[in-house]
Amino acid sequence: MHESKLLLNDWTFKSCEGEEWLPAVVPGCVHTDLLRNGQIPDPFYGTNEKLVQWIDKKDWEYKTLFDIPNELLEKEHIELVFNGLDTYAEVFINDKHVLSADNMFRTWEADIKPYAKSEGNKLRIVFRSPINEDLPKLEALGYALPASNDQSEVGELGNKRVSIFARKAPYHYGWDWGPRFVTSGIWREVELRAWTGVRIADLYIHQQVVTKEAAALTAILEITADQPGDRVIRIATEQGEWSEKVSLVPGLQKVEIALNIKNPKLWWSRGLGEAHLYTFTAQVLDQDAGTALAEASVKTGLRSIRLVRDKDEYGRSFYFELNGVPVFAKGANHIPNDSFVTEVTRERYRHEIESAAASNMNMLRVWGGGIYEQDVFYELCDEYGILVWQDFMFACSMYPGDEAFLTSVRHEAIDNVKRLRNHPSIALWCGNNEIDSAWAHYNEDAGWGWKKDYTHEQREKIWADYEAVFHKLLPEVLSELVPGTDYWPSSPIVSVTNDINQHASTSSIEGDVHYWGVWHNTEPFENYNIKLGRFMSEYGFQSFPEHKSVLRYATESDLELTSEVMRAHQKNGDGNRLIKEYMDMYMTEPKDFPSFLYMSQVLQADAMKMAIEAHRRNRPFVMGTLYWQMNDTWPVASWAGMDYYGNWKALQYYAKRSFADEMISIDGTKDNQVDFYLLSDLLRPIEGELQIRVVDFDGTVHHTETYAVSNPGNATNLVLSLSLAKLLQGHDPERTTAVAKLLVNGQVVDVQRHYFVPFKDLKLGAAEVKITEVEGSSGTRFVLESNMLAKQVWLDSEAEGVFSDNFFDLLPGEVKEVSFASRTYGEQAFAAASPGKVVVRSMSDFIKATHLLNK
């Protein structure tokens, strides 16, 4: 009597104007199907993006033939379930129209029992062009709504920006890191669902109160029944079983059952404890025979989490409290892993999430210009203890507020909140990205300049439509479906209230902050130390992918900063200029273009190290640091720490070190003084020694001092301040470094270095770095030594994978051991293996010889 499912996978497709049916892959989209059939060039290569803009102006048709086994055909209900249709679609079964879809983010269902037969069922889906569908809406509105990242010019539409009308991934229309590929297609699985009698449509484990002593829960079931009758609901998990008699009525109904668990195993974020997960199984039983008529199960973790916004000595706090423990959020912003999201395999998701965990992160922000991620993304975050800041899918645009649009958004929110609400990793729902601050309704001189293009009446209408979605509709859905869950209307803002002083403020003593003075305004990196907010939810700096990655979308002849291909793979208009400008400020001159690529990564990493550690040093004023961005959607110069192919840039290795749970952070920004901080995000106290060695670049140790230091745990302590005079003692600051080593019980916990002058003023020589395989390691571990200071030592492997450390500095007399983990493309992202051929280089290999002392 249980429900049965059948996936529909055997598809063909064609243009509605064409005659030839071609094989299609579902889930997929028109662009990837055309590519697999040799109908278009690789959209990611060279300047091919502009050659495929015709695709979104056409209508497309998909079809499949399928049989229905008798055991399914005999069920009382046969339903087609579309987990994702992109976007405007008409669905026909055996030539009968059964469904109209208009929202990429919704789940669509159609009852096909009246039309189903045992053999040769024909399912046909017609996708209308999202461009042709929405151009009339722009015409009818009478004025354009702001959509600054909609690359309508690339799409050959001039200034006609229609992205805001479609409930579709905003980044499909282009962004300042991504191309414009406006897709259509079946982007999530299509399944045939058959059932009889009774079905559990949804199971939610609502967590009212969770402590280490007890968890007070409610299992909320949505049950559909054909007939009235007395039944028994049974809920079971590893620490208990509960049963309750219920009287079902025909139709859809909600049943709630109280669950209480003593001494629950709590779910913790990475670094604080085990991310324990419970499986809850619900059954509807026949009251007399005890036979299971329907069953459903969900996996969740038991935890209490809240956004704490209390008044304090600075203003008002902004931090997450997990199981009563304040959490300093460390991580990055996540964007979709591909322009064509159906190309993202489970392995690619695991690679990203395991990379985040390996980089000592505990939070990712699912940014509002992409998609509500696939289930596997959240499952992996649950598994690895990565908290999720979840945006609704709205970003950097103003949206219409007509009844049809609001109705669509409400259904979208309901579908996705219900789908995701059991995931313990989700810490916050946020209405949108940057819209409040961009529009700045209550401050005439603030924002991005949008308001000046509209009359007073238009402004009020646009803002009223904004409030209808983000201040009314979305919080109402959350209050109904996940009561008690925190909601933040827009990132960044100061407060959730409607007071006119709470919107689009530059205040840093409340709310969250997106700081882009470094990069967009060409402010110096040092401003990361002074431009601080309670929660730094965006900031970033760009770099290029490594040379091997660039050659996957360009030829050697394209390797020039102003070439057409390099400009095509730089979506931020001033991006290449800014990288060069900052490089001139902070670095020495690279000797060639591959060297420029390497140095751009080091430049980016240095910037993000400065920002991350400034944020951590200023705890508890600052309680979160999420840099922009974790990943890429295509091969491109961008703010990402990993390139499109999953290769760790220098930033990812730097982030791993700067996010370490226990570490030293050195602040040399004060005049004539160097401060040493002990940072800890673990709950255990630290009692140890801080050893300071002042060393010449040739390895000569000038002097060593040792100091007792401590930290109570989950805190930041300034443990030592030393004058420059005491540290240098007359030695040349341009060829001297201070090496700080934290030891606890004689074991090295962390090592950090401080240089006394900017990088470009350092007196570097041509370092020779020796690498030796560790005997008995089967080629997985290596030791490195150098004859003089080698800065940003880069190990480049033949095999795909990551080293335990990379882009590090090495002094004479030091022995650095590293290990290699290859990318497995399996159920674990990394496994110890041989890297194959390893090439070792350092900064002296990439700068012009005239800048080196011994060349």
Side-chain angles (χ1 to χ4, degrees):
M1 299 287 284
H2 293 176
E3 71 179 72
S4 302
K5 292 183 179 180
L6 177 69
L7 293 179
L8 304 184
N9 293 319
D10 188 15
W11 294 81
T12 56
F13 84 111
K14 71 177 184 69
S15 163
C16 288
E17 302 169 1
E19 298 294 329
E20 183 183 9
W21 289 92
L22 298 170
V25 174
V26 172
C29 73
V30 172
H31 289 70
T32 53
D33 286 330
L34 289 169
L35 180 62
R36 288 188 183 96
N37 283 281
Q39 303 296 301
I40 60 171
D42 179 357
F44 289 171
Y45 190 81
T47 60
N48 288 347
E49 175 192 1
K50 62 186 180 183
L51 301 180
V52 297
Q53 295 303 313
W54 58 273
I55 297 172
D56 60 38
K57 317 299 188 303
K58 292 184 176 293
D59 299 341
W60 299 90
E61 186 171 349
Y62 281 73
K63 72 176 182 180
T64 186
L65 293 175
F66 63 97
D67 299 334
I68 303 177
N70 285 334
E71 61 268 25
L72 270 66
L73 195 62
E74 292 169 355
K75 303 280 188 180
E76 294 177 10
H77 301 272
I78 303 177
E79 298 157 349
L80 270 176
V81 181
F82 300 92
N83 291 291
L85 294 173
D86 177 17
T87 292
Y88 299 109
E90 304 298 331
V91 179
F92 302 84
I93 184 75
N94 296 329
D95 297 322
K96 302 293 184 181
H97 182 269
V98 294
L99 180 67
S100 294
D102 63 358
N103 187 319
M104 174 182 177
F105 302 123
R106 289 192 57 189
T107 299
W108 300 93
E109 300 179 1
D111 178 9
I112 65 164
K113 177 70 174 179
Y115 318 114
K117 54 188 182 180
S118 60
E119 296 181 348
N121 293 278
K122 182 172 72 171
L123 173 58
R124 188 168 64 93
I125 307 175
V126 177
F127 291 95
R128 299 191 303 282
S129 158
I131 305 304
N132 296 336
E133 183 77 13
D134 289 333
L135 280 170
K137 298 175 186 176
L138 177 62
E139 184 73 20
L141 184 62
Y143 53 84
L145 289 170
S148 53
N149 284 284
D150 184 328
Q151 297 172 14
S152 54
E153 293 85 357
V154 174
E156 302 166 356
L157 297 173
N159 63 355
K160 295 179 179 178
R161 296 179 171 86
V162 296
S163 57
I164 46 88
F165 296 105
R167 289 313 300 146
K168 174 175 175 57
Y171 84 107
H172 283 173
Y173 296 82
W175 219 265
D176 60 1
W177 37 257
R180 184 188 186 278
F181 299 126
V182 184
T183 58
S184 291
I186 307 166
W187 76 289
R188 282 180 172 155
E189 288 180 336
V190 181
E191 54 190 31
L192 191 70
R193 182 174 66 206
W195 58 280
T196 294
V198 63
R199 173 175 173 265
I200 301 175
D202 189 69
L203 172 60
Y204 169 47
I205 306 300
H206 177 50
Q207 305 184 30
Q208 289 104 311
V209 180
V210 176
T211 68
K212 64 181 180 180
E213 291 81 19
L217 317 171
T218 301
I220 303 174
L221 297 88
E222 291 183 8
I223 299 175
T224 300
D226 285 340
Q227 302 294 331
D230 293 335
R231 299 287 185 258
V232 173
I233 307 297
R234 182 167 65 197
I235 311 289
T237 192
E238 65 187 74
Q239 280 184 256
E241 184 175 303
W242 301 263
S243 296
E244 190 169 307
K245 293 180 180 180
V246 297
S247 294
L248 299 182
V249 297
L252 182 65
Q253 57 231 274
K254 186 181 293 184
V255 175
E256 299 187 4
I257 298 177
L259 316 176
N260 291 283
I261 297 177
K262 291 183 179 180
N263 303 314
K265 299 174 184 176
L266 299 181
W267 183 91
W268 291 96
S269 58
R270 192 217 57 79
L272 290 179
E274 180 190 2
H276 184 81
L277 296 171
Y278 285 83
T279 298
F280 288 85
T281 301
Q283 293 179 314
V284 179
L285 306 175
D286 180 272
Q287 183 169 293
D288 298 324
T291 306
L293 306 177
E295 182 174 300
S297 65
V298 295
K299 187 177 285 188
T300 191
L302 303 183
R303 86 291 185 264
S304 66
I305 190 161
R306 67 185 185 106
L307 176 63
V308 181
R309 298 186 56 257
D310 293 339
K311 288 186 178 180
D312 60 16
E313 60 185 299
Y314 312 108
R316 190 179 292 275
S317 66
F318 193 109
Y319 68 88
F320 295 94
E321 183 186 83
L322 177 64
N323 301 324
V325 174
V327 176
F328 188 99
K330 303 179 296 186
N333 287 260
H334 160 90
I335 62 174
N337 275 300
D338 208 291
S339 292
F340 310 114
V341 292
T342 53
E343 297 299 290
V344 186
T345 61
R346 181 181 183 86
E347 184 281 328
R348 286 176 67 181
Y349 278 118
R350 183 172 288 278
H351 178 75
E352 179 193 4
I353 303 307
E354 193 164 320
S355 292
S359 302
N360 295 309
M361 295 180 177
N362 60 18
M363 177 174 275
L364 292 172
R365 174 183 173 224
V366 177
W367 166 80
I371 63 171
Y372 304 94
E373 270 296 353
Q374 309 282 24
D375 292 344
V376 62
F377 174 88
Y378 303 96
E379 290 165 2
L380 289 167
C381 287
D382 294 344
E383 176 185 342
Y384 283 91
I386 304 295
L387 294 165
V388 174
W389 170 315
Q390 177 67 52
D391 283 4
F392 286 94
M393 291 303 115
F394 301 88
C396 303
S397 305
M398 302 304 287
Y399 292 86
D402 57 273
E403 184 177 351
F405 186 85
L406 294 179
T407 298
S408 182
V409 169
R410 183 176 294 276
H411 285 298
E412 166 191 324
I414 290 170
D415 284 357
N416 285 283
V417 171
K418 288 176 73 171
R419 178 172 68 93
L420 301 178
R421 61 184 173 175
N422 280 305
H423 290 286
S425 53
I426 295 182
L428 180 74
W429 285 88
C430 178
N432 67 72
N433 176 74
E434 294 188 342
I435 302 177
D436 189 303
S437 56
W439 183 258
H441 190 68
Y442 298 110
N443 187 337
E444 189 63 27
D445 298 323
W448 297 358
W450 289 351
K451 297 191 300 291
K452 65 180 176 57
D453 295 329
Y454 300 92
T455 66
H456 175 75
E457 291 75 16
Q458 288 171 339
R459 288 190 191 189
E460 293 302 316
K461 173 65 167 63
I462 291 169
W463 184 248
D465 290 345
Y466 172 92
E467 289 190 310
V469 175
F470 302 108
H471 289 201
K472 187 173 186 293
L473 187 158
L474 295 178
E476 283 178 354
V477 170
L478 288 167
S479 179
E480 176 185 349
L481 297 179
V482 278
T485 293
D486 286 301
Y487 171 71
W488 195 238
S490 182
S491 179
I493 59 168
V494 174
S495 172
V496 296
T497 71
N498 282 318
D499 186 283
I500 64 171
N501 294 319
Q502 301 305 300
H503 291 272
S505 171
T506 57
S507 168
S508 61
I509 61 171
E510 294 187 32
D512 69 318
V513 170
H514 293 189
Y515 171 57
W516 285 103
V518 174
W519 184 256
H520 289 303
N521 296 344
T522 331
E523 295 177 16
F525 290 170
E526 290 74 17
N527 276 12
Y528 281 128
N529 291 285
I530 57 177
K531 298 295 182 73
L532 302 169
R534 306 312 301 268
F535 195 102
M536 306 300 293
S537 47
E538 269 194 35
Y539 58 93
F541 193 89
Q542 274 201 4
S543 74
F544 277 81
E546 63 185 69
H547 189 210
K548 287 187 296 189
S549 294
V550 171
L551 289 179
R552 296 176 73 168
Y553 64 82
T555 65
E556 288 285 356
S557 62
D558 297 317
L559 300 188
E560 197 276 320
L561 204 56
T562 59
S563 74
E564 188 178 7
V565 171
M566 288 303 109
R567 287 186 287 111
H569 288 256
Q570 168 57 271
K571 286 295 185 174
N572 182 241
D574 289 331
N576 290 350
R577 177 188 64 79
L578 284 168
I579 294 173
K580 178 67 166 60
E581 191 169 327
Y582 273 101
M583 193 175 292
D584 291 343
M585 290 168 60
Y586 289 101
M587 311 287 282
T588 48
E589 188 177 359
K591 67 180 184 182
D592 51 27
F593 193 76
S595 299
F596 178 88
L597 300 178
Y598 162 88
M599 290 177 70
S600 78
Q601 291 199 17
V602 172
L603 183 70
Q604 176 193 39
D606 280 343
M608 293 300 92
K609 170 184 167 61
M610 187 175 292
I612 290 167
E613 294 187 28
H615 301 158
R616 295 189 68 189
R617 287 195 302 266
N618 281 278
R619 176 181 183 160
F621 178 80
V622 183
M623 283 298 288
T625 178
L626 308 178
Y627 65 77
W628 186 272
Q629 64 211 56
M630 182 72 186
N631 55 323
D632 269 330
T633 64
W634 74 317
V636 66
S638 81
W639 297 271
M642 297 193 306
D643 71 23
Y644 171 74
Y645 304 106
N647 300 306
W648 282 29
K649 295 184 182 179
L651 166 55
Q652 203 65 41
Y653 287 101
Y654 272 56
K656 178 181 179 180
R657 295 195 290 265
S658 291
F659 282 146
D661 292 330
E662 294 175 327
M663 67 171 291
I664 310 155
S665 181
I666 306 172
D667 180 10
T669 61
K670 296 178 183 175
D671 290 340
N672 301 313
Q673 179 178 310
V674 178
D675 293 336
F676 298 83
Y677 289 79
L678 190 48
L679 314 179
S680 173
D681 294 321
L682 302 184
L683 303 184
R684 67 191 183 203
I686 300 173
E687 297 285 342
E689 294 181 332
L690 183 60
Q691 180 193 88
I692 309 293
R693 288 188 305 133
V694 177
V695 189
D696 189 275
F697 292 175
D698 66 5
T700 302
V701 178
H702 296 311
H703 62 92
T704 302
E705 305 285 346
T706 301
Y707 304 85
V709 294
S710 64
N711 185 302
N714 208 24
T716 290
N717 271 10
L718 173 61
V719 294
L720 181 65
S721 293
L722 297 175
S723 69
L724 284 176
K726 180 174 177 59
L727 281 165
L728 282 169
Q729 296 185 8
H731 297 290
D732 184 356
E734 295 182 351
R735 56 171 303 113
T736 304
T737 182
V739 181
K741 183 180 295 185
L742 175 64
L743 299 105
V744 176
N745 297 323
Q747 299 296 311
V748 177
V749 174
D750 189 33
V751 178
Q752 296 288 338
R753 305 169 195 276
H754 175 70
Y755 296 93
F756 297 95
V757 296
F759 171 82
K760 65 190 308 179
D761 295 328
L762 295 178
K763 295 176 179 177
L764 296 180
E768 297 176 5
V769 181
K770 177 184 176 184
I771 182 170
T772 307
E773 182 181 321
V774 174
E775 189 175 348
S777 71
S778 301
T780 65
R781 296 183 5 246
F782 305 87
V783 293
L784 294 97
E785 300 171 272
S786 181
N787 66 328
M788 64 181 65
L789 172 66
K791 281 199 64 63
Q792 286 93 18
V793 175
W794 178 33
L795 292 84
D796 185 17
S797 62
E798 180 182 20
E800 285 188 88
V802 299
F803 287 93
S804 56
D805 201 4
N806 211 341
F807 293 93
F808 50 81
D809 294 356
L810 190 60
L811 282 163
E814 295 177 339
V815 177
K816 176 78 172 183
E817 181 171 324
V818 298
S819 58
F820 182 78
S822 70
R823 189 168 173 181
T824 66
Y825 294 89
E827 278 305 302
Q828 58 176 347
F830 305 115
S834 169
K837 182 182 178 181
V838 178
V839 177
V840 183
R841 286 163 287 186
S842 69
M843 181 61 74
S844 63
D845 297 305
F846 295 100
I847 60 180
K848 288 196 171 182
T850 52
H851 296 296
L852 299 173
L853 294 182
N854 56 343
K855 277 290 185 83

